[in-house]
């Protein structure tokens, strides 16, 4: 019989549950604790993070918390998909040890007054330009998740590439004793990056959604061949708009600092895109 992961709802219960995990993790046969932070509505991309976590750590904790502080009042916090029982079935099948699922009142109790304000990659003019509140909310909740669970590893998808850079730098800057690990994006057969928000797409929108990956792939090949970055980005932007998207950005950036980059000679390049199809905002990225 498969055991359901234990579900922890309070910081006290979480700490109590983590103590034996930590001891087991320090034994010769163990490699500590890995945390997979999520907002639930789990898809194959999340399950890949869990599978990678299991390769590295003896105990795997998945957090499920739809974090209100990273949504603007105009965004989809209320309608964000919440599928706890289905998520639990998937995590049970993967033999996850524990699910950390606090309420908003447990995470942000009455009187909560502290915020982590990341700079650097968090102010790169990409997601932050369109969602100015986003990285403050993410950095605050991720810092809390890290201090609550005290994992040795934390797994993040490369799909949210700017978030991965921000969290990696934050863990370093705050001397948090864990390794942040970025895991490649899982895609549908036609290239569309898996995302909990893909459920919002109508059939017609779903049909054009893979344009983003197609343009990223073609642009990366052209830049590798030596074509001028600015021209490649302009033509890529035009293809995305012609497909029916409202484009927020298509940018070539330094893969680590996320600063603008003019040539392949100036360092590794990451192409990043965000665009709206109908009411759904999609993001994606690709290394050159
Ligand atoms: O990527 C997400 O799902 C969220 O931003 C995270 C990291 C779980 C923080 O709420």
């Amino acid at each position: 019989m498969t055991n359901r992961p234990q579900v922890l709802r309070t910081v006290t219960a979480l700490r109590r549950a983590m103590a034996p995990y930590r001891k087991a993790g320090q034994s010769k046969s163990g490699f500590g604790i890995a945390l997979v932070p999520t907002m639930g509505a789990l898809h194959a991309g999340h399950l890949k993070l869990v599978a990678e976590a299991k390769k590295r750590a003896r105990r795997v904790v998945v957090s499920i918390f739809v974090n209100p502080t990273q949504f603007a009042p105009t965004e989809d916090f209320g309608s964000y998909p919440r599928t706890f029982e289905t998520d639990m079935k998937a995590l049970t099948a993967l033999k996850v040890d524990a699910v950390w699922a606090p309420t908003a009142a447990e995470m942000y109790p009455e009187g909560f007054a502290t915020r982590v304000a990341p700079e650097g990659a968090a102010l790169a003019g990409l997601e932050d330009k369109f969602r100015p509140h986003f990285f403050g909310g993410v950095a605050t909740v991720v810092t809390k998740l890290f201090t609550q669970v005290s994992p040795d590893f934390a797994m993040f998808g490369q799909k949210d590439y700017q978030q991965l850079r921000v969290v990696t730098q934050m863990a370093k800057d705050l001397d948090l004793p864990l390794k942040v690990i970025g895991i490649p994006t899982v895609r549908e057969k036609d290239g569309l990056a898996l995302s909990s928000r893909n459920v919002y797409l109508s059939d017609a929108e779903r049909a054009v959604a893979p344009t983003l990956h197609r343009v990223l792939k073609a642009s990366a090949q052209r830049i590798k061949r030596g074509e001028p970055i600015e021209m490649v980005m302009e033509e890529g932007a035009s293809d995305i708009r012609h497909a029916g998207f409202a484009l927020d950005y298509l940018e070539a950036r330094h893969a680590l600092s996320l600063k603008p980059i003019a040539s392949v000679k100036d360092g590794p390049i990451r192409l990043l895109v965000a665009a709206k199809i109908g009411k759904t905002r999609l993001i994606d990225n690709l290394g050159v």
Side-chain angles (χ1 to χ4, degrees), residues 25-274:
Q26 282 160 0
S27 75
K28 270 189 196 147
S29 58
F31 320 97
I33 299 170
L35 170 68
V36 181
T38 81
M39 298 204 299
L42 303 182
H43 52 63
H46 296 112
L47 304 185
K48 169 94 176 146
L49 300 184
V50 172
E52 292 295 328
K54 285 184 76 87
K55 284 185 198 164
R56 288 169 175 85
R58 186 176 163 87
R59 300 290 187 189
V60 174
V61 179
V62 174
S63 63
I64 297 184
F65 179 65
V66 186
N67 175 35
T69 65
Q70 68 191 72
F71 290 80
T74 51
E75 291 180 343
D76 58 345
F77 174 71
S79 60
Y80 194 84
R82 288 162 172 86
T83 57
F84 191 76
E85 273 316 310
T86 318
D87 294 348
M88 283 303 292
K89 276 192 194 121
L91 299 177
T92 303
L94 287 178
K95 298 190 168 69
V96 161
D97 295 282
V99 170
W100 169 220
T103 59
E106 181 72 10
M107 190 62 97
Y108 300 113
E110 188 70 29
F112 185 87
T114 302
R115 199 168 162 84
V116 178
E119 297 181 356
L123 300 178
L126 299 165
E127 281 307 284
D128 51 297
K129 188 165 156 195
F130 297 88
R131 307 184 69 193
H133 53 281
F134 180 69
F135 288 115
V138 166
T140 303
V141 83
V142 170
T143 303
K144 281 176 71 73
L145 292 169
F146 285 175
T147 54
Q148 289 161 344
V149 177
S150 290
D152 302 286
F153 306 97
M155 321 300 291
F156 288 83
Q158 286 179 359
K159 151 105 187 331
D160 294 277
Y161 192 80
Q162 192 179 3
Q163 169 175 276
L164 172 63
R165 293 306 315 146
V166 168
V167 168
T168 303
Q169 186 67 44
M170 183 190 82
K172 183 171 183 274
D173 291 349
L174 299 181
D175 303 309
L176 301 178
L178 78 158
K179 196 167 161 42
V180 173
I181 297 172
I183 301 296
T185 303
V186 178
R187 298 179 181 282
E188 300 282 6
K189 277 203 183 78
D190 58 12
L192 175 65
L194 295 198
S195 159
S196 304
R197 290 187 168 100
N198 290 352
V199 297
Y200 299 153
L201 297 170
S202 69
D203 289 349
E205 290 161 359
R206 173 65 189 80
V208 295
T211 304
L212 296 184
H213 179 60
R214 244 189 334 264
V215 166
L216 287 174
K217 221 167 127 189
S219 304
Q221 280 161 0
R222 292 177 64 186
I223 292 169
K224 240 187 256 168
R225 282 200 300 265
E227 293 188 45
I229 292 177
E230 209 181 311
M231 182 184 85
V232 173
M233 291 295 92
E234 268 168 28
E235 290 177 9
S238 158
D239 289 348
I240 289 169
R241 288 195 178 101
H242 269 109
F245 284 90
L247 182 66
D248 281 349
Y249 59 82
L250 171 67
E251 297 262 351
R253 294 296 180 96
H254 189 285
L256 298 179
S257 68
L258 296 189
K259 288 190 176 144
I261 192 162
S263 150
V264 275
K265 286 187 224 105
D266 298 332
I269 296 180
R270 198 89 189 175
L271 304 181
L272 303 104
V273 67

